[in-house]
């Protein structure tokens, strides 16, 4: 039985934790992460290498292999149409972590697809583009004819700005930008509700990068899919994302709209990231970056994991792990706890019990000379 689901929520991640078991100790790559993605939203995940952003995205798509283990949490997916089955709850949500292999195969690509980090490595070097696109189409639509698959492949290439005469090219015959566009075309093949993009433009020059991002925005507006966009480049997310989550040592330390994060970063780490790249406007100042290095995830510092690098750390930071709590954003009321879409920060500076004086007016002093 299929009924229409009337909710704007597409995906809910609840208290997700992921570990990697190794002989040298357990790596806590993702630690108690929760957030919600709305339909049509571009959700940016930013942080330094090793902060857990890719692990988190792959975990919610069930793409992790041992030794990675999801130790805790839930991934709830709300399809547009509710199909009642064993893994569908009363509220219409599909419990993604409980999908069996056949259900998972149908879920991936049809509901959620992925654009991997390096198009050159993700595309098969010995198959032409046509074969790679039509393989996806026919694997998920066994009744689709060869002619139908070919027409759809042409249509998909056109959507990403590639002429149909490149359909029979091999990956090595295409530029880096074209290969990444092909990956986006393959991700769009079955009109998914959500696309995970893992550093999709990292290896490209800034002109091609901008071109691809503008195309992505246009496609999102035309087809209304949601995107989880993973990158270490916060400046890029500030251009395209609706909501941005900053990760550090496996946890989300701040989450909010791009305007709120840009104008009023609350977490010292977010402020440090924002002061790690030059701005085009305003007074010039030297870039200081963030002192120190990210922690070894096998032995994360106690309390706030950022405390050894934080210019604002005080006694409580060394012993108490800060929770991600809502704070008032510009022109908005404090959102309800667990509401997911308001501005949230995990920092004791904003805890009136631990820091009765309240946070400093600006965090800039730590990063601007
Ligand atoms: Fe810095 Fe303390 Fe806030 Fe962590 S909790 S970011 S150490 S002030």
């Amino acid at each position: 039985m299929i009924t229409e689901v009337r909710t704007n929520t597409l995906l809910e991640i609840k208290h997700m934790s992921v570990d990697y078991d190794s002989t040298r100790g357990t790596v806590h790559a993702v630690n108690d992460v929760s957030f919600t993605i709305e339909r049509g939203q571009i959700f940016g995940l930013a942080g330094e290498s090793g902060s857990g952003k890719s692990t988190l995205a792959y975990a919610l798509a069930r793409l992790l292999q041992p030794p990675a283990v999801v130790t805790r949490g839930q991934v709830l997916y709300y399809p547009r149409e509710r199909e009642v089955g064993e893994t569908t709850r009363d509220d219409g949500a599909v419990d993604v972590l409980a999908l069996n292999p056949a259900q998972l195969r149908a879920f991936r690509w049809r509901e959620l697809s992925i654009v991997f980090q390096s198009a050159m490595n993700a595309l098969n070097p010995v198959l032409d583009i046509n074969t790679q696109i039509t393989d996806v189409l026919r694997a998920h639509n066994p009744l689709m004819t060869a002619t139908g698959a070919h027409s759809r492949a042409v249509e998909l290439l056109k959507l990403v700005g590639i002429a149909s005469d490149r359909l029979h090219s091999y990956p090595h015959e295409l530029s880096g930008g074209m290969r990444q566009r092909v990956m986006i075309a393959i991700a769009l093949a079955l009109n998914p509700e959500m696309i995970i993009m893992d550093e999709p433009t990292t290896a490209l020059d800034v002109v091609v990068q901008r071109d691809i991002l503008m195309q992505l925005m246009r496609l999102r507006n035309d087809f209304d899919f949601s995107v989880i966009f993973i990158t270490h480049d916060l400046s890029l997310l500030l251009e395209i994302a609706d909501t941005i989550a900053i990760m550090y040592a496996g946890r989300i330390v701040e989450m909010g709209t791009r305007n709120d994060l840009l104008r009023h970063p609350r977490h010292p780490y977010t402020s440090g990231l924002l002061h790690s790249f030059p701005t085009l406007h305003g007074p010039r100042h030297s870039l200081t970056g963030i002192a120190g290095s990210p922690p070894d995830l096998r032995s994360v510092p106690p309390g706030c994991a950022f405390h050894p690098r934080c210019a604002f750390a005080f006694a409580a930071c060394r012993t108490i792990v800060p929770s991600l709590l809502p704070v008032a954003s510009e022109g908005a009321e404090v959102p309800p706890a667990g509401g997911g879409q308001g501005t949230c920060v995990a920092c004791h500076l904003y805890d009136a019990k631990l820091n009765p004086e309240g946070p400093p007016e600006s965090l800039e002093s730590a990063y601007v000379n």
Side-chain angles (χ1 to χ4, degrees):
M1 183 177 69
I2 292 177
T3 52
E4 196 183 339
V5 173
R6 295 178 192 281
T7 171
N8 206 35
T9 299
L10 180 66
L11 199 70
E12 247 185 306
I13 315 301
K14 292 184 171 180
H15 306 292
M16 180 164 248
S17 296
V18 182
D19 288 352
Y20 289 90
D21 286 324
S22 81
T23 47
R24 292 168 58 217
T26 300
V27 174
H28 304 291
V30 175
N31 215 326
D32 195 19
V33 166
S34 301
F35 59 90
T36 301
I37 295 182
E38 306 291 325
R39 293 185 195 285
Q41 185 182 34
I42 297 188
F43 185 92
L45 266 179
E48 290 163 290
S49 297
S51 59
K53 44 194 196 311
S54 293
T55 296
L56 170 62
Y58 288 19
L60 65 91
R62 299 264 314 265
L63 282 170
L64 289 177
Q65 300 285 338
V69 189
V70 176
T71 54
R72 187 179 167 223
Q74 258 189 322
V75 180
L76 300 177
Y77 172 74
Y78 295 83
R80 258 184 223 279
E81 289 182 331
R82 172 184 171 180
E83 190 162 359
V84 178
E86 277 171 25
T87 52
T88 308
R89 306 178 341 155
D90 289 347
D91 58 1
V94 172
D95 184 348
V96 175
L97 298 185
L99 294 176
N100 66 33
Q103 292 166 326
L104 192 57
R105 220 169 103 80
F107 173 73
R108 288 201 197 125
W109 238 260
R110 198 174 285 287
E111 308 288 341
L112 176 147
S113 62
I114 300 197
V115 175
F116 291 102
Q117 210 168 92
S118 163
M120 195 62 198
N121 298 334
L123 288 168
N124 189 328
V126 297
L127 296 178
D128 68 11
I129 300 309
N130 180 54
T131 309
Q132 302 198 46
I133 299 178
T134 53
D135 269 1
V136 171
L137 291 166
R138 297 185 78 187
H140 289 269
N141 292 308
L143 299 180
M144 192 177 234
T145 62
T147 317
H150 176 78
S151 315
R152 176 70 177 146
V154 170
E155 187 185 4
L156 286 165
L157 281 195
K158 200 170 152 201
L159 277 179
V160 295
I162 298 180
S164 57
D165 60 0
R166 304 311 298 262
L167 199 57
H168 293 288
S169 299
Y170 286 82
H172 73 272
E173 296 173 311
L174 303 176
S175 67
M178 285 172 105
R179 289 195 293 266
Q180 203 52 274
R181 286 169 204 269
V182 169
M183 289 302 297
I184 295 173
I186 293 175
L188 288 171
L190 301 174
N191 294 321
E193 291 275 347
M194 160 155 294
I195 303 180
I196 295 175
M197 298 195 150
D198 187 11
E199 305 263 12
T201 56
T202 299
L204 306 175
D205 69 64
V206 285
V207 177
V208 177
Q209 184 182 76
R210 182 164 190 85
D211 217 31
I212 289 183
L213 292 179
M214 292 307 107
Q215 200 154 42
L216 174 66
M217 300 291 280
R218 184 177 55 72
L219 289 167
R220 189 278 299 253
N221 292 341
D222 290 350
F223 298 103
D224 199 28
F225 51 79
S226 305
V227 178
I228 296 182
F229 198 105
I230 301 166
T231 179
H232 61 272
D233 185 351
L234 182 55
S235 63
L236 195 150
L237 286 185
L238 291 169
E239 288 202 41
I240 62 163
D242 301 306
T243 298
I244 298 174
I246 308 289
M247 288 194 74
Y248 187 79
R251 291 178 186 269
I252 291 180
V253 295
E254 184 162 4
M255 180 160 60
T257 64
R258 66 175 164 184
N259 283 341
D260 204 35
L261 240 72
L262 176 63
R263 293 202 193 117
H264 193 169
R266 269 93 172 172
H267 198 283
Y269 180 60
T270 310
S271 183
L273 288 180
L274 286 170
H275 288 94
S276 300
F277 54 86
T279 55
L280 293 177
H281 310 285
R284 291 200 300 175
H285 56 76
S286 17
L287 299 176
T288 52
I290 306 171
S293 315
D296 180 339
L297 294 178
R298 284 167 303 186
S299 55
V300 175
C304 171
F306 188 59
H307 85 251
R309 305 173 75 187
C310 181
F312 301 92
F314 55 104
C317 304
R318 294 177 192 87
T319 52
I320 305 171
V321 178
S323 304
L324 189 67
L325 296 172
V327 288
S329 53
E330 274 173 41
E333 299 291 317
V334 176
Q341 296 313 296
T343 299
C344 302
V345 65
C347 174
H348 296 321
L349 290 174
Y350 301 86
D351 185 327
K353 282 192 201 123
L354 296 175
N355 182 29
E357 287 170 20
E361 255 181 39
S362 164
L363 304 172
E364 273 203 346
S365 60
Y367 300 105
V368 176
N369 283 328

